[in-house]
Amino acid sequence: MAEDLRHFLYALLLVVAGLLPIVNPVGSAPLFLAMTHGADAAARQKLALKVAVNAFVLLLGSLIFGAFVLKIFGLSVPVVQVAGGAVLCALGWKMLDEDAPPPAEAPTVSEDVVILKAFYPLTLPLTVDPGAIAVAITLGANHAHGVERIVVGFIAGILGTALIALCVWLAYRYAQRVALWLGHTRVMVVLRLSAFIVLCIGVEITWNGVKGLAAELQFAPPAAAPKAAEKAP
């Protein structure tokens, strides 16, 4: 029993410590506000809950089925990093290049339009970026031995991703209050810095994927030499 509890705590801390710094809900909150500009507080609250639920499903799915899905399609983690890093770079550049919205503008975007952004781009790649997916797949690929250990690890994965989703919900739910406390000028400074950090993270993820692909090519077995043509009698 004590051994199972120790394994549960270890797996829980591994999931939270490995994924929470990469998801970074507090750092993504200013971008969440910018990408929902024009929506009212009620729509943002509903959207925060949807993004948190989507993040939970996406992270848990990557933990459990990520390696299996990649194997089915013949993909590798470096490929996911390169493709996802490029998407994240595009998102960061778009946010960095956009004009700052006026500080006092009445809501002009309907709730239905804002809700359509719940999965893309607010959940993927803003909240759960390719780096988080790659880490989740890596954590899920290290399967424990024994039925009890697998069950304990599964429960720890559910609880760990639920805690991360709770942090996402809290950060996005109260992002507007923090923005009002900071003021428009400081929010714009934080927004630009956050967009630049997203761009840098995208470049870093892409670079890690390129290095991973280069390593796979370096250590790949050489192609078999074609057989010599049989001599004609």
Side-chain angles (χ1 to χ4, degrees), residues 131-153:
I133 293 176
V135 172
I137 293 174
T138 304
L139 293 175
N142 299 321
H143 299 294
H145 299 287
V147 177
E148 293 184 0
R149 290 293 182 89
I150 292 176
V151 173
V152 170

Side-chain angles (χ1 to χ4, degrees), residues 98-122:
E98 280 184 349
D99 295 331
E105 182 178 336
T108 57
V109 181
S110 65
E111 181 177 316
D112 294 336
V113 174
V114 175
I115 295 299
L116 291 177
K117 299 180 179 180
F119 185 79
Y120 178 84
L122 290 178

Side-chain angles (χ1 to χ4, degrees), residues 74-131:
L75 301 175
S76 63
V77 173
V79 171
V80 176
Q81 290 176 320
V82 171
V87 174
L88 202 60
C89 287
L91 177 64
W93 179 259
K94 179 181 177 182
M95 297 298 300
L96 193 62
D97 194 50
E98 280 184 349
D99 295 331
E105 182 178 336
T108 57
V109 181
S110 65
E111 181 177 316
D112 294 336
V113 174
V114 175
I115 295 299
L116 291 177
K117 299 180 179 180
F119 185 79
Y120 178 84
L122 290 178
T123 302
L124 179 73
L126 179 63
T127 305
V128 181
D129 60 31

Side-chain angles (χ1 to χ4, degrees), residues 193-217:
L193 289 175
S194 300
F196 180 71
I197 291 174
V198 168
L199 178 60
C200 293
I201 292 174
V203 173
E204 177 68 19
I205 292 173
T206 304
W207 177 242
N208 289 336
V210 170
K211 289 192 297 183
L213 291 176
E216 289 182 358
L217 290 176

